[in-house]
Amino acid sequence: MNEQINLLFTLDTGYLNPLCVELTSIYYNNPKTAFKIWLVHESIMAEEIEIVRKLAEKLHFQFEAIQIDGSIWQGAPTVERYPKEMYFRLLAGEILPTSVQKVIYLDPDILVLNSVTELWNMDMDGNMLAAATHTGLIDVTTKFNQIRLDIDHGYYNSGVMLMDLDRAREIVRWEDISAALAKHGPQLMLPDQDILNYLYGKYAVEIPEERWNYDARMYQRYLTRSLGQDDVKWVINNTVFLHFCGKPKPWQNGHDNRFTAVYETYQRLMNYIMES
């Protein structure tokens, strides 16, 4: 049995079913790995939490839900796709017990296709987090975000992050986040991700998106950029986090790409486990 790996999710009730699908994918593709699941939320009902807890028990995961007062985020920019709960990950070092020294944060719209152990054991060389950037064949978005946010590093996607919580406890301050929200609130496009990059991107180390934060919409881009190497078979065997960015989501009507059926497979496995 390997060292216990801490996984963090911060979400509202609308993402509980996708979370259960994600946990199922973790279980099937990380055999003999010990996990502790941390679910941070503001208003999920106890009976809904219990559903996730029972699934976690069936998957042999440890599970703990932490309910917090999200009133400090009142007035922070949010939109339908990005609710208040998205900000909670920024204060993970403050929210989680000090005994938790590092954690992998994951968005709930992800399938885990391979072992997470390599990322967990990564040496971050004193940085606070490890994350991927999403760039195109010609990277114009990085320069746009650098100008928009006045930063001199890549623009990191916050959907998958290895976080050194001891470093976060030294660096992250609510006062800094609040000031950034007050100063840049109307200009924020992806609110918490913008804040993460603006304040803490300089403490990040980049990891390859093809393995660690694969945007499921961009298959053709990855295939072209790899000169045909990163085909579907490559993804299934090498990608760890398959991220269903954007809309529609794979559990919604209208989602139909190369990876929809993969998601549906884990959805059915989850239903089978829940019913057994």
Side-chain angles (χ1 to χ4, degrees):
M1 188 71 73
N2 298 322
E3 173 191 0
Q4 178 178 271
I5 295 175
N6 295 298
L7 300 180
L8 171 65
F9 301 89
T10 66
L11 44 85
D12 60 18
T13 187
Y15 278 97
L16 282 180
N17 190 76
L19 170 61
C20 290
V21 176
E22 185 168 357
L23 295 180
T24 302
S25 71
I26 293 167
Y27 170 76
Y28 278 104
N29 294 303
N30 288 265
K32 300 181 180 179
T33 303
F35 289 100
K36 174 70 175 282
I37 308 301
W38 298 90
L39 173 56
V40 176
H41 69 100
E42 181 181 25
S43 57
I44 301 176
M45 298 178 66
E47 53 266 35
E48 295 177 308
I49 294 290
E50 192 59 27
I51 293 172
V52 183
R53 185 186 307 279
K54 288 181 178 179
L55 174 64
E57 289 175 355
K58 291 183 177 182
L59 301 178
H60 308 292
F61 296 162
Q62 292 189 42
F63 176 83
E64 186 165 344
I66 300 177
Q67 186 171 18
I68 65 173
D69 180 3
S71 61
I72 62 171
W73 302 106
Q74 204 65 38
T78 61
V79 294
E80 182 181 359
R81 279 176 56 201
Y82 305 100
K84 187 192 307 182
E85 283 78 5
M86 65 186 173
Y87 290 103
F88 297 167
R89 58 189 143 176
L90 296 178
L91 289 176
E94 180 179 318
I95 294 170
L96 297 183
T98 55
S99 58
V100 181
Q101 296 178 308
K102 65 177 177 177
V103 69
I104 297 176
Y105 168 82
L106 297 173
D107 275 354
D109 55 351
I110 286 173
L111 287 179
V112 180
L113 302 181
N114 287 287
S115 173
V116 307
T117 303
E118 182 182 338
L119 179 63
W120 179 254
N121 291 329
M122 176 182 175
D123 181 0
M124 289 193 284
D125 195 26
N127 287 287
M128 188 181 83
L129 60 92
T133 61
H134 283 163
T135 58
L137 292 174
I138 301 175
D139 184 10
V140 296
T141 57
T142 296
K143 180 57 67 176
F144 169 74
N145 285 313
Q146 286 175 335
I147 295 171
R148 180 172 65 89
L149 297 173
D150 190 24
I151 57 178
D152 60 0
H153 50 74
Y155 182 79
Y156 298 100
N157 183 279
S158 59
V160 176
M161 295 184 292
L162 173 63
M163 305 179 71
D164 182 331
L165 296 186
D166 287 338
R167 285 288 284 145
R169 292 176 183 114
E170 297 172 358
I171 297 168
V172 179
R173 296 288 179 268
W174 161 242
E175 294 78 9
D176 298 332
I177 297 171
S178 180
L181 287 169
K183 180 178 180 180
H184 297 287
Q187 290 79 43
L188 300 179
M189 298 174 63
L190 302 174
D192 77 310
Q193 187 167 278
D194 282 353
I195 292 298
L196 180 97
N197 279 276
Y198 175 65
L199 291 176
Y200 308 116
K202 60 187 174 183
Y203 304 110
V205 59
E206 186 171 352
I207 51 179
E209 62 175 306
E210 294 87 349
R211 288 199 66 207
W212 300 111
N213 196 340
Y214 186 106
D215 187 335
R217 302 169 298 179
M218 302 300 176
Y219 171 78
Q220 196 60 48
R221 182 191 71 189
Y222 292 119
L223 186 66
T224 302
R225 196 164 66 187
S226 67
L227 302 179
Q229 174 184 306
D230 297 355
D231 58 10
V232 171
K233 185 175 291 187
W234 185 94
V235 173
I236 296 301
N237 288 302
N238 294 277
T239 293
V240 178
F241 302 118
L242 180 62
H243 195 174
F244 292 90
C245 304
K247 278 194 171 182
K249 298 299 185 185
W251 58 87
Q252 296 173 326
N253 293 333
H255 190 279
D256 186 16
N257 71 18
R258 288 171 175 82
F259 301 108
T260 307
V262 180
Y263 193 91
E264 181 65 23
T265 297
Y266 286 102
Q267 173 76 57
R268 293 188 178 192
L269 286 170
M270 184 273 288
N271 291 336
Y272 175 77
I273 294 171
M274 296 279 274
E275 294 167 1
S276 63

Short mmCIF file of all heavy atoms in Angstrom, two decimals, residues 28-30 111-116 118 209-212 214 219 229-242 259 262 266:
data_model
loop_
_atom_site.label_atom_id
_atom_site.label_comp_id
_atom_site.label_asym_id
_atom_site.label_seq_id
_atom_site.Cartn_x
_atom_site.Cartn_y
_atom_site.Cartn_z
N TYR A 28 -10.77 2.64 -10.12
CA TYR A 28 -10.45 1.61 -11.10
C TYR A 28 -9.05 1.77 -11.69
O TYR A 28 -8.46 0.79 -12.16
CB TYR A 28 -11.49 1.59 -12.22
CG TYR A 28 -12.72 0.81 -11.83
CD1 TYR A 28 -13.89 1.45 -11.48
CD2 TYR A 28 -12.71 -0.59 -11.80
CE1 TYR A 28 -15.03 0.73 -11.10
CE2 TYR A 28 -13.83 -1.31 -11.43
CZ TYR A 28 -14.98 -0.65 -11.08
OH TYR A 28 -16.09 -1.37 -10.70
N ASN A 29 -8.51 2.97 -11.69
CA ASN A 29 -7.22 3.20 -12.34
C ASN A 29 -6.08 3.47 -11.37
O ASN A 29 -4.97 3.81 -11.79
CB ASN A 29 -7.35 4.34 -13.35
CG ASN A 29 -8.28 3.97 -14.48
OD1 ASN A 29 -8.06 2.98 -15.17
ND2 ASN A 29 -9.35 4.73 -14.66
N ASN A 30 -6.36 3.30 -10.07
CA ASN A 30 -5.33 3.44 -9.06
C ASN A 30 -5.44 2.32 -8.03
O ASN A 30 -5.65 2.55 -6.84
CB ASN A 30 -5.43 4.81 -8.36
CG ASN A 30 -4.99 5.95 -9.25
OD1 ASN A 30 -3.85 6.39 -9.20
ND2 ASN A 30 -5.91 6.43 -10.07
N LEU A 111 -12.13 12.87 -15.49
CA LEU A 111 -11.93 11.44 -15.32
C LEU A 111 -10.45 11.18 -15.06
O LEU A 111 -9.59 11.79 -15.70
CB LEU A 111 -12.36 10.66 -16.57
CG LEU A 111 -13.85 10.54 -16.86
CD1 LEU A 111 -14.05 9.75 -18.15
CD2 LEU A 111 -14.61 9.89 -15.71
N VAL A 112 -10.16 10.28 -14.14
CA VAL A 112 -8.78 9.90 -13.84
C VAL A 112 -8.52 8.56 -14.52
O VAL A 112 -9.09 7.54 -14.15
CB VAL A 112 -8.56 9.81 -12.33
CG1 VAL A 112 -7.12 9.42 -12.02
CG2 VAL A 112 -8.89 11.15 -11.67
N LEU A 113 -7.64 8.57 -15.54
CA LEU A 113 -7.45 7.41 -16.40
C LEU A 113 -6.23 6.57 -16.06
O LEU A 113 -6.12 5.43 -16.51
CB LEU A 113 -7.35 7.86 -17.86
CG LEU A 113 -8.52 8.66 -18.42
CD1 LEU A 113 -8.26 9.00 -19.89
CD2 LEU A 113 -9.83 7.90 -18.27
N ASN A 114 -5.31 7.12 -15.28
CA ASN A 114 -4.10 6.40 -14.94
C ASN A 114 -3.64 6.80 -13.54
O ASN A 114 -4.29 7.60 -12.87
CB ASN A 114 -3.00 6.68 -15.98
CG ASN A 114 -3.27 5.97 -17.30
OD1 ASN A 114 -3.11 4.76 -17.41
ND2 ASN A 114 -3.68 6.73 -18.31
N SER A 115 -2.52 6.26 -13.11
CA SER A 115 -2.05 6.48 -11.74
C SER A 115 -1.68 7.93 -11.48
O SER A 115 -1.02 8.58 -12.29
CB SER A 115 -0.83 5.59 -11.47
OG SER A 115 -0.26 5.91 -10.22
N VAL A 116 -2.08 8.43 -10.31
CA VAL A 116 -1.74 9.80 -9.90
C VAL A 116 -0.46 9.85 -9.09
O VAL A 116 -0.01 10.93 -8.69
CB VAL A 116 -2.89 10.42 -9.08
CG1 VAL A 116 -4.21 10.32 -9.83
CG2 VAL A 116 -3.02 9.77 -7.71
N GLU A 118 2.77 9.50 -9.64
CA GLU A 118 3.92 10.27 -10.11
C GLU A 118 3.76 11.75 -9.80
O GLU A 118 4.71 12.41 -9.37
CB GLU A 118 4.10 10.08 -11.62
CG GLU A 118 5.31 10.81 -12.18
CD GLU A 118 5.46 10.66 -13.69
OE1 GLU A 118 4.92 9.69 -14.25
OE2 GLU A 118 6.13 11.52 -14.30
N GLU A 209 0.38 19.44 -20.00
CA GLU A 209 -1.08 19.33 -20.04
C GLU A 209 -1.55 18.03 -20.67
O GLU A 209 -2.60 17.50 -20.30
CB GLU A 209 -1.69 20.52 -20.79
CG GLU A 209 -1.27 20.64 -22.25
CD GLU A 209 -2.01 21.76 -22.97
OE1 GLU A 209 -3.26 21.77 -22.95
OE2 GLU A 209 -1.33 22.63 -23.55
N GLU A 210 -0.79 17.48 -21.63
CA GLU A 210 -1.22 16.26 -22.30
C GLU A 210 -1.39 15.10 -21.32
O GLU A 210 -2.22 14.23 -21.53
CB GLU A 210 -0.21 15.86 -23.39
CG GLU A 210 -0.13 16.83 -24.56
CD GLU A 210 0.85 17.96 -24.32
OE1 GLU A 210 1.32 18.12 -23.16
OE2 GLU A 210 1.15 18.70 -25.27
N ARG A 211 -0.61 15.11 -20.27
CA ARG A 211 -0.71 14.04 -19.26
C ARG A 211 -1.55 14.46 -18.07
O ARG A 211 -2.32 13.66 -17.54
CB ARG A 211 0.69 13.64 -18.75
CG ARG A 211 1.52 12.86 -19.76
CD ARG A 211 2.64 12.13 -19.04
NE ARG A 211 2.12 11.10 -18.14
CZ ARG A 211 2.77 10.69 -17.04
NH1 ARG A 211 3.94 11.22 -16.72
NH2 ARG A 211 2.25 9.74 -16.29
N TRP A 212 -1.42 15.70 -17.64
CA TRP A 212 -1.93 16.06 -16.33
C TRP A 212 -3.16 16.96 -16.36
O TRP A 212 -3.75 17.20 -15.29
CB TRP A 212 -0.82 16.72 -15.51
CG TRP A 212 0.34 15.80 -15.33
CD1 TRP A 212 1.60 15.94 -15.87
CD2 TRP A 212 0.39 14.59 -14.56
NE1 TRP A 212 2.40 14.90 -15.49
CE2 TRP A 212 1.69 14.05 -14.68
CE3 TRP A 212 -0.55 13.91 -13.78
CZ2 TRP A 212 2.07 12.86 -14.05
CZ3 TRP A 212 -0.16 12.73 -13.16
CH2 TRP A 212 1.12 12.22 -13.29
N TYR A 214 -5.60 17.24 -19.57
CA TYR A 214 -5.93 17.13 -21.00
C TYR A 214 -7.32 17.70 -21.24
O TYR A 214 -8.31 17.22 -20.69
CB TYR A 214 -5.87 15.65 -21.40
CG TYR A 214 -6.04 15.36 -22.88
CD1 TYR A 214 -4.94 14.99 -23.65
CD2 TYR A 214 -7.29 15.43 -23.50
CE1 TYR A 214 -5.08 14.70 -25.00
CE2 TYR A 214 -7.43 15.14 -24.84
CZ TYR A 214 -6.33 14.79 -25.59
OH TYR A 214 -6.48 14.50 -26.94
N TYR A 219 -8.84 17.45 -28.84
CA TYR A 219 -8.15 16.26 -29.33
C TYR A 219 -7.33 16.55 -30.58
O TYR A 219 -6.16 16.16 -30.69
CB TYR A 219 -9.17 15.16 -29.62
CG TYR A 219 -8.58 13.96 -30.33
CD1 TYR A 219 -7.85 13.01 -29.62
CD2 TYR A 219 -8.75 13.78 -31.70
CE1 TYR A 219 -7.30 11.90 -30.26
CE2 TYR A 219 -8.20 12.69 -32.36
CZ TYR A 219 -7.48 11.76 -31.63
OH TYR A 219 -6.93 10.68 -32.28
N GLN A 229 1.13 11.43 -32.70
CA GLN A 229 1.42 10.46 -31.64
C GLN A 229 0.29 10.36 -30.62
O GLN A 229 -0.09 9.27 -30.19
CB GLN A 229 2.71 10.83 -30.91
CG GLN A 229 2.99 9.94 -29.69
CD GLN A 229 4.22 10.37 -28.92
OE1 GLN A 229 5.29 10.50 -29.49
NE2 GLN A 229 4.07 10.60 -27.62
N ASP A 230 -0.26 11.52 -30.21
CA ASP A 230 -1.21 11.53 -29.10
C ASP A 230 -2.63 11.25 -29.59
O ASP A 230 -3.53 12.09 -29.50
CB ASP A 230 -1.15 12.88 -28.38
CG ASP A 230 0.21 13.13 -27.74
OD1 ASP A 230 1.06 12.23 -27.79
OD2 ASP A 230 0.42 14.24 -27.21
N ASP A 231 -2.84 10.03 -30.10
CA ASP A 231 -4.17 9.63 -30.54
C ASP A 231 -4.98 9.12 -29.36
O ASP A 231 -4.53 9.17 -28.21
CB ASP A 231 -4.07 8.58 -31.66
CG ASP A 231 -3.30 7.34 -31.23
OD1 ASP A 231 -2.98 7.18 -30.03
OD2 ASP A 231 -2.99 6.51 -32.11
N VAL A 232 -6.18 8.61 -29.61
CA VAL A 232 -7.05 8.16 -28.52
C VAL A 232 -6.38 7.08 -27.69
O VAL A 232 -6.45 7.09 -26.46
CB VAL A 232 -8.40 7.67 -29.08
CG1 VAL A 232 -9.22 7.00 -27.98
CG2 VAL A 232 -9.18 8.84 -29.68
N LYS A 233 -5.73 6.14 -28.35
CA LYS A 233 -5.06 5.06 -27.63
C LYS A 233 -3.97 5.61 -26.71
O LYS A 233 -3.79 5.14 -25.57
CB LYS A 233 -4.48 4.04 -28.61
CG LYS A 233 -3.87 2.82 -27.94
CD LYS A 233 -3.42 1.79 -28.96
CE LYS A 233 -4.61 1.16 -29.68
NZ LYS A 233 -4.18 0.04 -30.56
N TRP A 234 -3.22 6.60 -27.19
CA TRP A 234 -2.19 7.24 -26.37
C TRP A 234 -2.82 7.88 -25.14
O TRP A 234 -2.30 7.75 -24.03
CB TRP A 234 -1.42 8.28 -27.18
CG TRP A 234 -0.27 8.90 -26.43
CD1 TRP A 234 1.04 8.51 -26.46
CD2 TRP A 234 -0.33 10.01 -25.52
NE1 TRP A 234 1.80 9.30 -25.63
CE2 TRP A 234 0.99 10.23 -25.04
CE3 TRP A 234 -1.36 10.84 -25.07
CZ2 TRP A 234 1.29 11.25 -24.14
CZ3 TRP A 234 -1.06 11.84 -24.16
CH2 TRP A 234 0.26 12.05 -23.70
N VAL A 235 -3.93 8.58 -25.34
CA VAL A 235 -4.60 9.25 -24.22
C VAL A 235 -5.02 8.23 -23.15
O VAL A 235 -4.77 8.42 -21.96
CB VAL A 235 -5.83 10.04 -24.71
CG1 VAL A 235 -6.64 10.59 -23.53
CG2 VAL A 235 -5.40 11.18 -25.63
N ILE A 236 -5.65 7.15 -23.57
CA ILE A 236 -6.12 6.15 -22.62
C ILE A 236 -4.97 5.55 -21.82
O ILE A 236 -5.11 5.23 -20.64
CB ILE A 236 -6.91 5.05 -23.35
CG1 ILE A 236 -8.17 5.63 -24.01
CG2 ILE A 236 -7.28 3.92 -22.40
CD1 ILE A 236 -9.13 6.30 -23.06
N ASN A 237 -3.81 5.43 -22.45
CA ASN A 237 -2.67 4.77 -21.79
C ASN A 237 -1.73 5.73 -21.08
O ASN A 237 -0.91 5.27 -20.25
CB ASN A 237 -1.87 3.96 -22.82
CG ASN A 237 -2.60 2.71 -23.26
OD1 ASN A 237 -2.96 1.86 -22.44
ND2 ASN A 237 -2.83 2.59 -24.55
N ASN A 238 -1.82 7.02 -21.36
CA ASN A 238 -0.84 7.96 -20.82
C ASN A 238 -1.42 9.15 -20.06
O ASN A 238 -0.80 9.64 -19.12
CB ASN A 238 0.05 8.50 -21.95
CG ASN A 238 0.92 7.42 -22.56
OD1 ASN A 238 1.99 7.09 -22.05
ND2 ASN A 238 0.46 6.85 -23.67
N THR A 239 -2.57 9.64 -20.49
CA THR A 239 -3.17 10.78 -19.82
C THR A 239 -3.70 10.36 -18.45
O THR A 239 -4.34 9.33 -18.31
CB THR A 239 -4.30 11.38 -20.67
OG1 THR A 239 -3.73 11.96 -21.85
CG2 THR A 239 -5.06 12.44 -19.91
N VAL A 240 -3.44 11.18 -17.45
CA VAL A 240 -3.93 10.89 -16.10
C VAL A 240 -5.25 11.61 -15.86
O VAL A 240 -6.23 10.99 -15.45
CB VAL A 240 -2.89 11.27 -15.04
CG1 VAL A 240 -3.43 11.01 -13.63
CG2 VAL A 240 -1.59 10.49 -15.27
N PHE A 241 -5.31 12.90 -16.13
CA PHE A 241 -6.52 13.67 -15.88
C PHE A 241 -7.13 14.15 -17.19
O PHE A 241 -6.58 15.03 -17.86
CB PHE A 241 -6.21 14.87 -14.97
CG PHE A 241 -5.60 14.47 -13.65
CD1 PHE A 241 -4.34 14.90 -13.30
CD2 PHE A 241 -6.30 13.68 -12.75
CE1 PHE A 241 -3.77 14.54 -12.09
CE2 PHE A 241 -5.75 13.31 -11.54
CZ PHE A 241 -4.48 13.73 -11.20
N LEU A 242 -8.25 13.55 -17.55
CA LEU A 242 -9.01 13.93 -18.74
C LEU A 242 -10.06 14.94 -18.31
O LEU A 242 -11.02 14.59 -17.62
CB LEU A 242 -9.65 12.70 -19.37
CG LEU A 242 -10.48 12.90 -20.64
CD1 LEU A 242 -9.63 13.47 -21.78
CD2 LEU A 242 -11.15 11.60 -21.06
N PHE A 259 -14.56 11.30 -26.41
CA PHE A 259 -14.44 10.84 -25.03
C PHE A 259 -15.77 10.75 -24.30
O PHE A 259 -15.79 10.40 -23.12
CB PHE A 259 -13.47 11.77 -24.28
CG PHE A 259 -12.10 11.82 -24.90
CD1 PHE A 259 -11.68 12.94 -25.58
CD2 PHE A 259 -11.26 10.72 -24.82
CE1 PHE A 259 -10.42 13.00 -26.15
CE2 PHE A 259 -9.99 10.76 -25.40
CZ PHE A 259 -9.57 11.89 -26.07
N VAL A 262 -16.33 7.25 -23.10
CA VAL A 262 -15.47 6.91 -21.97
C VAL A 262 -16.13 7.37 -20.67
O VAL A 262 -16.19 6.63 -19.69
CB VAL A 262 -14.07 7.56 -22.13
CG1 VAL A 262 -13.18 7.21 -20.94
CG2 VAL A 262 -13.43 7.13 -23.44
N TYR A 266 -17.77 5.10 -17.17
CA TYR A 266 -17.56 5.27 -15.73
C TYR A 266 -18.85 5.67 -15.03
O TYR A 266 -19.05 5.33 -13.85
CB TYR A 266 -16.45 6.29 -15.48
CG TYR A 266 -15.09 5.72 -15.78
CD1 TYR A 266 -14.42 6.03 -16.97
CD2 TYR A 266 -14.47 4.84 -14.89
CE1 TYR A 266 -13.18 5.48 -17.25
CE2 TYR A 266 -13.23 4.30 -15.16
CZ TYR A 266 -12.60 4.61 -16.35
OH TYR A 266 -11.36 4.06 -16.63
#
